Amino acid sequence: MSVTAAKGFRAAGIAAGIKDSGNPDLALVVNTGPRQAAAGVFTSNRVKAAPVLWSEQVLKGGTVSAVVLNSGGANACTGPKGFQDTHATAEKVAEVLDLNAGEVAVASTGLIGVLLPMDKLLPGVETAAAQLSEHGGEKAAIAIKTTDTVHKTAVHEGDGWTVGGMAKGAGMLAPGLATMLVVLTTDADLDGDVLDRALRDATKVTFDRVDSDGCMSTNDTVLLLASGASRVTPAYAEFAEAVRAVCDDLGQQLIRDAEGASKDIKVEVINAASEADAVEVGRSIARNNLLKCAIHGEDPNWGRVLSAIGTTAAAFEPDRLNVAINGVWVCKNGSVGEDRDRVDMRYREVRITADLAAGTESAVIWTNDLTADYVHENSAYSS
Amino acid sequence: MSVTAAKGFRAAGIAAGIKDSGNPDLALVVNTGPRQAAAGVFTSNRVKAAPVLWSEQVLKGGTVSAVVLNSGGANACTGPKGFQDTHATAEKVAEVLDLNAGEVAVASTGLIGVLLPMDKLLPGVETAAAQLSEHGGEKAAIAIKTTDTVHKTAVHEGDGWTVGGMAKGAGMLAPGLATMLVVLTTDADLDGDVLDRALRDATKVTFDRVDSDGCMSTNDTVLLLASGASRVTPAYAEFAEAVRAVCDDLGQQLIRDAEGASKDIKVEVINAASEADAVEVGRSIARNNLLKCAIHGEDPNWGRVLSAIGTTAAAFEPDRLNVAINGVWVCKNGSVGEDRDRVDMRYREVRITADLAAGTESAVIWTNDLTADYVHENSAYSS
């Protein structure tokens, strides 16, 4: 289903030879219209990969006719030559599909600091273009994997319209808008401004709150393309909820496939003075390596939750903090609460609830445990 | 040598039975004068352990006659009972040594959220007091160990005066002023204001720049006690340099003994627009889990350095950044530099130099690699 669930899109995924492994590494998504509206959010890392710099410019034009994505190399920190390579990739897509290069977005993922093998990538564009299909979404999703063990797709069916999408991401997952490569498509008949609003509203509470390892990528890209092929213009609230649901679904898949993880940790911060406070506290908890190790060991070590909360500027009084792990309030009023032996941590999902007792706002941040497998995978990285 | 290197101090370290292992867990340091000047810096974590709250008050009085320290329990997040226990510990020391409890500092380290076994701790104070000796510094240093594999002491000899000290710390090492338990002693004849200035000047560039795992403790305490027993009043610059040297020495020992670490990483940020920028960038690099894994794997993955720099607000242009690993400039002008295969990473110390090309300021942050052993140790923590 993926990016071809909505009408008006064709896609392909092929092995261009960018990866030494011979696995698929090049994807193409084409919007056949009738309209080519688009919105995008990108990493807020100030060190941006060449394809991010390029695609930000493309999005400013408001029209995206095609997206070309590669795994096997991030094309980040590659200087002027890297930017020329991104440009040449867009030009190649434009040439093969008879489009304007200024309407071709580019996304790359893989190792930073390595130039792409253009002698393989450019012929790959031709191969992919020849395989474009209304059923190609699955293959495209497979071709953007790096350390992902599974490909990620999601679909939401509206009343006569559809939102679908694909995502990749397994490490370097931390908010800085997106945290991964994501392409969403819809056949709803909407303009770029509406897409932009819906996408920002959605990523703010989904991808922006997925924080696997606190490391922000140079390549994060989330695109939303609309073909208008359904001829239906849904109400904003309905459409925005569909986009949020698809982003949430994909975000959950990213967490479940995070590098080396054995636990998915839902950090709920409740009774905060503001949503910003709730997010700050949730992120501080989610990034605490000691806590993440404890959760890996199925140790309900709430002291590490409190020490993480204590490093924030959020409104709270230390002696009013309450913490539950999987529903057991192991910390009450900043001190020892219910018996920690009552906490059952055998299952993959672990829920940490931090009650700031300072207001009525809340937020959820998703993270993972820290494992020896994460260390192993990232001390010998290859895409 | 430790805390009894300087004249005017006695110390002891004993096994009070706080630790199930039966290892030493209680230390006592007494300033026999003629003066009892003192200064202290404490964690900036807003969730502060009971002994930190107590000792902060003691320091406000300006006089510290004795310090009692225990491992085997942090007495953090233990509510009013925890504070009562700290108070009772100080009272016991005062009673046994005929002091004022308001002049007895208390420091604790170990698991958070567990009440101390006062039935063992209080008798332990009596035992320790009976063993106080001018040669007891080593035993005191041993008694404050938790996951430390070695005890840490340092001494600097001035002209007729001495600064010595002991430290413990192996995990939860991140600046929030101190990051560990440290007691420094001197027989220099100086008042509390001079001690305070020298201690803050020293910790700012030593313990505050040791960041093993980004996790800030609830118990960090660094005390500096002066007995005046040498009858020598050194010049400020000379004394401050001695304090800095001892703090630096102890900080290095903490890094070398950090939990699970196989590499000590010196992050040098140069040519920054301000020292604050240099520290911010250095800390961001030092806390990047992906980079720390790469260093563990002896992989000179400079892309992860750039992505860490990119998350900061420091002044820099991405295409002017340069990065050297062990002296090889693997990144030049934000892009591929010298051959990464030339980087020799076989040795324990690894030096990462980040050139922001934005000014003339610099800073050094020390950290460690992230290893499977760190995960193991912290998923099954016991002091």
Side-chain angles (χ1 to χ4, degrees), chain A residues 45-47 77-79 112-113 172 289-290 293 302-304 306-307 310 312 314 316 318 334-336 370 374-375 378-379 381, chain B residues 45-47 77-79 112-113 289-290 293 302-304 306-307 310 312 314 316 318 334-336 370 374-375 378-379 381:
Chain A
N45 198 311
R46 291 168 60 201
V47 175
C77 308
T78 44
I112 300 174
M172 216 181 243
N289 278 352
L290 287 171
C293 289
W302 60 267
R304 293 176 180 177
L306 257 67
S307 74
T312 71
F316 71 84
S335 181
V336 186
L370 181 56
Y374 176 89
V375 173
N378 286 296
S379 59
Y381 178 95
Chain B
N45 197 312
R46 291 168 59 200
V47 175
C77 307
T78 44
I112 299 175
N289 278 352
L290 288 171
C293 288
W302 59 268
R304 294 176 178 176
L306 257 66
S307 72
T312 70
F316 69 84
S335 180
V336 186
L370 180 55
Y374 176 88
V375 173
N378 285 298
S379 58
Y381 178 94

Side-chain angles (χ1 to χ4, degrees), chain B residues 39-42 178-180 182 184 199 203 207 220-224 247:
Chain B
V41 291
F42 299 92
T179 66
M180 65 285 304
V182 177
L184 307 174
L199 186 59
T203 56
F207 296 131
D220 301 332
T221 301
V222 181
L223 301 174
L224 171 56
C247 289

